Amino acid sequence: MKVLLDRREATAAATDAVVTGVFERGDKETAFPRGLAKEDAAAKGLVRAAWDQREIQGKRREVTVVHRPDRNGRIVIVGLGPRTRYDAEVVRRAAAEAVRALKGKGVRTIAVRLAAFALDPVPSEAAARAVVDGTYLGAYEFRKYRTTSDGPVEEAAIALGEELAREETLLRKAVDDERTVAETVVWTRDLANLPADTASPERLAEEARALGKELGLKVTVFDETKLAEMHCGGILAVGGGSTAHPPRMVVVEYPGGARRGKTIAVVGKGITFDAGGISIKPAAALANMKFDKSGAVAVLGILRAAALLKVPPRVIGVLGCAENVPSGTSYRPGDVVRTFNGKTIEILNTDAEGRVVLADALAYAVAQYRPDEVIDLATLTGAEVVALGDDTAGLVATDDRLANALLAASAATGEPLWRMPLTDYHRELVKSDIGDVRNSTELPVAGLLTAAAFLENFVGGTAWAHLDLAGPAYTTAATRRFQPAYQSAGATAFGVRVITRYLADAVRPN
Ligand code: BES
Ligand code: ZN
Ligand code: ZN
């Protein structure tokens, strides 16, 4: 997908389709919306005819296609739903609905009339960003293993027209920046969608190295020998079951754009396949476990976007990568492992492996870089999916300012986060009789929060936020139907947009 800015009217550009929007109409509403006048003129009254026939209702997900009698392409009218519930997320979804509906229908280029979406309370800049996201992400499909193509939309022009031409400078910057973000989301999805035979811990390390080379970022890879010297017993225990694909810890450093910026560490769970280990998962639960690396891959995406956008803070990405499979060299229930910060973990369930890997990755990040704050991203618990569904990530934070800033970035980007309460009750549940903490609790309650209580042991006093993305990290054929059109099949790259927004807005140390 190519997204560009065009100063002209959408109807004046020579494209296969012009995309515009319309609010949901009332039962008795007959007056033709003024916002559709230009498209109606281009279609010689046929848009109005569709309106009069009540083919256009303006409901969300509704896409109406009208052909111009002069054969200069189509007019595509996307429903925006109720006027009173309009926001940037509606725009993001509407743009994606349009490119999805036009896929495989001979439409190669579209022009989106931005003025039709830059409506109160959505400022033109936010509308432009939302259109970039929606078109770019809505058109995405994982192409690596397919020899056929549906014929996706290839080029989207964001047309300013007379209403917005004066804002060209501002809008050009917004489109350029958001294109970088959206293109990074696609890059991240491509990596997260790779199956476990290909995306091994070594491969993720190689991807990090290649990225570092391309963007001039320092990349350090710790192999199993080095991890043993560093006393990273957690990641070694989890990764020990795979004789084919040994574990790696990967560090990517972006030096920061501001002179007095903060240091923010971003840590990701990179289980390239989670079979559960000795506590093996049942067959049905194995199907999507290549996506258990989504947190780590999102961290790579975040570093990529941060470097390309030159965000103010210094950002340290740490990826804890391992394959969790059963074998004679696997760690076992009953084992006690010693981690980087010296704390010991009693293993009770080898399928609770993410927290064991993150223990080392978090402890290393805070000890080595003394960040002002640390954010981790992980497909950590099935309990998260039960609690919040497959569109929302669970947020647990020990710092209210950090939590609120992340919630603000979430609102701006449309990646839903919901903060959950971490209390002494959860801390009590993860205490171990034989070691410091246990990786699985006696009571099967509040799994999202007991996992967080466990992780808290490895961040020291650093301001910390934990994002459990088990739900929103990927879609399946079943869940995708209920998701916004910009969530493609498979990996969503959840976290890249919200955390990049947070980093771009973060300026001074507190
Ligand atoms: N990777 C899983 C969590 C997961 C589940 C991610 C579903 C995506 C979709 C994690 O390693 C896991 O297996 N967690 C266990 C923990 C339990 C054994 C304490 C879980 O949630 O059941
Ligand atoms: Zn697991
Ligand atoms: Zn896992």
Side-chain angles (χ1 to χ4, degrees):
M1 172 64 82
K2 209 171 121 193
V3 178
L4 35 96
L5 199 77
D6 194 324
R7 308 190 61 219
R8 291 173 295 174
E9 294 295 335
T11 44
T15 57
D16 298 323
V18 168
V19 176
T20 188
V22 67
F23 288 115
E24 190 167 333
R25 70 197 283 186
D27 286 347
K28 298 196 178 67
E29 203 174 324
T30 51
F32 185 64
R34 252 175 305 153
L36 294 176
K38 280 178 178 157
E39 284 72 24
D40 188 49
K44 302 280 182 291
L46 290 182
V47 175
R48 186 178 208 121
W51 173 270
D52 290 341
Q53 299 294 318
R54 301 197 80 84
E55 181 166 340
I56 300 173
Q57 293 289 339
K59 291 202 192 320
R60 284 185 189 166
R61 293 190 183 247
E62 173 192 282
V63 177
T64 311
V65 179
V66 171
H67 279 259
R68 289 166 63 154
D70 62 6
R71 297 184 160 250
N72 273 325
R74 309 147 180 84
I75 305 294
V76 176
I77 306 115
V78 193
L80 302 176
R83 179 72 184 93
T84 49
R85 293 181 52 200
Y86 192 58
D87 61 16
E89 179 63 12
V90 173
V91 182
R92 211 173 277 121
R93 293 179 184 207
E97 288 294 347
V99 298
R100 281 271 288 276
L102 296 172
K103 184 180 279 188
K105 292 190 182 291
V107 175
R108 209 182 59 76
T109 62
I110 62 172
V112 180
R113 191 155 79 80
L114 186 58
F117 298 97
L119 305 169
D120 190 51
V122 182
S124 54
E125 191 193 338
R129 284 179 181 273
V131 170
V132 174
D133 284 349
T135 49
Y136 220 110
L137 304 181
Y140 173 79
E141 47 185 68
F142 183 51
R143 298 268 312 121
K144 190 177 160 71
Y145 302 108
R146 281 249 303 272
T147 53
T148 56
S149 166
D150 290 341
V153 175
E154 287 168 10
E155 195 178 297
I158 299 185
L160 304 185
E162 56 168 359
E163 295 102 325
L164 294 168
R166 269 173 289 117
E167 297 179 39
E168 182 177 349
T169 314
L170 169 89
L171 294 174
R172 189 169 294 281
K173 166 101 172 90
V175 168
D176 286 348
D177 283 356
E178 199 60 28
R179 183 194 295 117
T180 300
V181 175
E183 191 248 325
T184 299
V185 170
V186 163
W187 181 89
T188 308
R189 285 182 183 177
D190 272 341
L191 199 50
N193 277 323
L194 289 177
D197 62 345
T198 306
S200 59
E202 302 104 303
R203 170 70 183 266
L204 292 183
E206 271 169 39
E207 292 289 339
R209 278 207 181 96
L211 180 70
K213 201 160 181 195
E214 190 188 324
L215 300 180
L217 305 175
K218 183 177 172 197
V219 176
T220 314
V221 176
F222 301 113
D223 65 13
E224 62 273 35
T225 313
K226 189 72 191 151
L227 288 167
E229 283 169 23
M230 292 160 69
H231 306 287
C232 287
I235 186 166
L236 285 171
V238 173
S242 179
T243 40
H245 302 299
R248 295 286 182 267
M249 187 157 76
V250 182
V251 182
V252 184
E253 301 176 44
Y254 161 71
R259 246 186 328 126
R260 274 184 67 248
K262 297 184 189 184
T263 296
I264 302 178
V266 189
V267 177
K269 168 179 173 181
I271 301 300
T272 57
F273 189 73
D274 183 10
I278 297 292
S279 315
I280 196 166
K281 286 181 184 293
L286 290 165
N288 293 306
M289 283 304 132
K290 69 169 183 176
F291 295 119
D292 213 23
K293 62 184 179 297
S294 297
V297 174
V299 167
L300 275 190
I302 290 160
L303 265 291
R304 183 182 193 273
L308 288 170
L309 294 173
K310 302 190 170 57
V311 301
R314 173 180 179 229
V315 187
I316 310 296
V318 180
L319 289 67
C321 304
E323 184 175 58
N324 187 30
V325 291
S327 80
T329 57
S330 294
Y331 76 142
R332 319 153 193 76
D335 287 359
V336 178
V337 302
R338 191 177 298 276
T339 63
F340 180 82
N341 76 356
K343 289 200 185 186
T344 56
I345 302 171
E346 179 190 7
I347 304 300
L348 287 150
N349 187 325
T350 63
D351 196 13
E353 83 298 338
R355 65 197 76 184
V356 180
V357 166
L358 287 173
D360 282 329
L362 283 166
Y364 178 76
V366 298
Q368 185 69 22
Y369 295 94
R370 308 246 162 249
D372 296 284
E373 46 202 54
V374 57
I375 303 170
D376 76 78
L377 293 86
T379 47
L380 204 60
T381 64
E384 192 278 330
V385 196
V386 174
L388 296 171
D390 40 49
D391 66 332
T392 301
L395 167 65
V396 177
T398 53
D399 182 274
D400 289 343
R401 191 214 56 81
L402 175 58
N404 290 334
L406 288 170
L407 291 172
S410 164
T413 53
E415 289 200 303
L417 301 182
W418 193 262
R419 190 171 180 188
M420 301 291 262
L422 181 61
T423 71
D424 285 345
Y425 171 64
H426 310 111
R427 295 180 179 107
E428 198 60 39
L429 281 165
V430 297
K431 284 186 183 158
S432 164
D433 295 333
I434 183 177
D436 294 319
V437 282
R438 51 193 292 155
N439 82 329
S440 167
T441 55
E442 207 173 327
L443 296 184
V445 297
L448 161 61
L449 293 164
T450 51
F454 176 102
L455 295 180
E456 192 188 21
N457 285 281
F458 300 93
V459 296
T462 312
W464 165 62
H466 161 59
L467 270 63
D468 190 336
L469 343 151
Y474 61 90
T475 71
T476 64
T479 65
R480 188 187 183 203
R481 287 182 40 231
F482 303 95
Q483 294 292 325
Y486 57 76
Q487 299 295 32
S488 43
T492 59
F494 189 99
V496 172
R497 290 189 302 114
V498 61
I499 301 300
T500 300
R501 177 84 259 150
Y502 171 71
L503 295 173
D505 291 344
V507 191
R508 283 166 294 106
N510 358 316

